[in-house]
Amino acid sequence: MEIRATDTPRLDWTGDALAVGLFEDAVDLSGDLAQLDEKLAGTLKELIEETEFKGGAGSSAVTRVGSGSSIRKIILVGLGKPDALSLDSLRRAAAAIARSAKQQKSKTLGISLPVANDNPSDTAQAITEGIILALHQDNRFKSEPEDKGAKLEQVDLLGLGGQEAAITKAQAISTGVILARELVAAPANAVTPISMAQTAEAIASEHGLALEILEREDCEKLGMGAFLGVAQASDLPPKFIHLTYKPDGTPKRKIAIVGKGLTFDSGGLNIKGAGSGIETMKMDMGGAAATLGAAKAIGQIKPDVEVHFVSAVTENMISGNAMHPGDVLTASNGKTIEVNNTDAEGRLTLADALVFTEKLGVDAIVDLATLTGACIIALGNDIGGLWTADETLASQLKTASEAAGEKFWQMPMEEKYFEGLKSSIADMKNTGPRPGGSITAALFLKQFVKETPWAHLDIAGPVWADKDEGCNPAGATGYPVRTLVNWVMSDA
Ligand code: BES
Ligand code: MN
Ligand code: ZN
């Protein structure tokens, strides 16, 4: 599918489907839309009246245009109130348009949407992301593809002539989001620690990143007892992945992204029971998936920032060699951990990943993890949790996530709750009481970062969607690759 930027007026555009965005309660046709309506023999006005189209956000209407016209279909999409127009409302409108055009089997599509934030470049980027991400369909595990038939071949972004660079950037970001989705959606018998390392290798060679893979013995030498404790019951070898993107010339800053990479989480001997969603635990590498997705995007965009992408990848399994509940592990910073629950494994793997990452001497670290069910209870499925003691980092991430259309809510780093992790035998337990479970998880991670500005993102909810929403088809969302890319690119 080719996406082009053009200044062709919507009145003159010709092709299969023309999509026009209309603001709420502003659907009376004036100016060039009145002309367009006239050209289409009143079809536009009729469509608005017959479908009672009001322009509400998320609404859409489509109809055929009488034969002999220069366009075959007209798609209307509601934009909501003009003062609420945002990059994300454009991304969503573009997604709705793309889905409609696909359903209509249109091959060529013209999109006429307003510019948000007086910024045509960000606008073109958001629209392009909306189109590509809404149309992505994963047929890898079907014997026959479900979306046979005509495919969208060409999309023209009207009024955005000259925005080719923004389109290219959006395409790069979308390859990262789609990679993350496909890694998360793939079952645990397809995506394993070994295949994750191979994916990292492919990114490194395609986009010129440096790659270091630490095998079990390398991790042993570094004293990564917490990560290896989790890995010890799996028949698959753990892989500690470290990708580095270095710009030509001196980087403006050096940062790191660390992702939880459990290709399957059975819970270990504290095995997940019936109704626990154990069959969904292939998605427990969502943090690592987004980390690799961000690496793929950054490797193409090539910003002036050095970025390290780190993930300690393994499965959490059971066997005669499994951690016992109650075992004491020693992490690579020397701290000892009483594993009072083997199902709180993500924080154990992240502990060693964070210690490793801090030694790289970066200016800031962001970790992302499908860490706790408690975060889903707190914030629901659409919003991730954000913890940091660094307000600069907090505001960078909030700005990045807002433009990305990926929601986060800042949660408290309530030091007092660390009391819940007090252990009588070791420096700390890995699990506290049920109340505030996502907060104690963040406080646990904090023990493994000494002085580098650091933020923790709990993405247990939004990494997966049960139904189509915005530019995400149901299933793996690729969350929060777009936020991470924006954060890397943000000037700080
Ligand atoms: N991977 C899970 C968290 C999770 C739960 C992600 C549901 C997505 C959906 C994590 O390893 C886990 O099992 N956490 C436990 C922690 C508890 C034992 C303290 C949880 O949230 O129940
Ligand atoms: Mn678990
Ligand atoms: Zn887990």
Side-chain angles (χ1 to χ4, degrees), residues 115-236:
V115 168
N117 305 349
D118 284 330
N119 190 326
S121 159
D122 287 357
T123 295
Q125 185 190 328
I127 293 173
T128 304
E129 288 170 1
I131 299 164
I132 298 174
L133 295 175
L135 292 180
H136 165 231
Q137 191 172 354
D138 187 357
N139 289 317
R140 290 171 301 161
F141 300 99
K142 304 264 188 196
S143 58
E144 291 273 348
E146 275 179 355
D147 54 349
K148 286 187 251 175
K151 290 249 184 321
L152 198 51
E153 287 166 6
Q154 191 178 296
V155 182
D156 289 335
L157 308 189
L158 309 184
L160 289 169
Q163 296 305 331
E164 285 75 15
I167 293 174
T168 305
K169 182 180 172 197
Q171 285 165 331
I173 293 171
S174 300
T175 64
V177 175
I178 288 170
L179 173 65
R181 284 181 185 173
E182 294 196 342
L183 288 171
V184 170
N189 62 348
V191 162
T192 65
I194 298 169
S195 83
M196 287 290 278
Q198 288 165 343
T199 300
E201 237 169 73
I203 295 169
S205 67
E206 273 166 43
H207 308 296
L209 281 74
L211 175 65
E212 172 186 31
I213 304 261
L214 306 184
E215 304 294 342
R216 192 195 303 269
E217 310 76 62
D218 306 311
C219 297
E220 272 163 11
K221 282 186 198 129
L222 290 171
M224 295 186 175
F227 170 45
L228 294 177
V230 175
Q232 75 193 31
S234 172
D235 285 341
L236 302 174

Side-chain angles (χ1 to χ4, degrees), residues 23 37 62 96 125 131 172 185 212 238 240 249 273 337 343-344 364 382 396 401 411 415 439 460:
F23 285 113
D37 189 41
V62 58
Q125 185 190 328
I131 299 164
E212 172 186 31
F240 190 103
I337 304 157
D343 197 10
D382 296 352
Q396 284 172 8
S401 85
M411 300 281 281
E415 293 290 343
I439 301 176

Side-chain angles (χ1 to χ4, degrees), residues 222 224 240 331-334 350-360 365 447-449:
L222 290 171
M224 295 186 175
F240 190 103
S332 44
N333 64 348
L350 286 166
D352 283 325
L354 288 168
V355 171
F356 174 93
T357 304
E358 187 161 33
K359 289 190 209 146
L360 300 171
I365 303 172
Q447 309 309 306
F448 301 90
V449 186

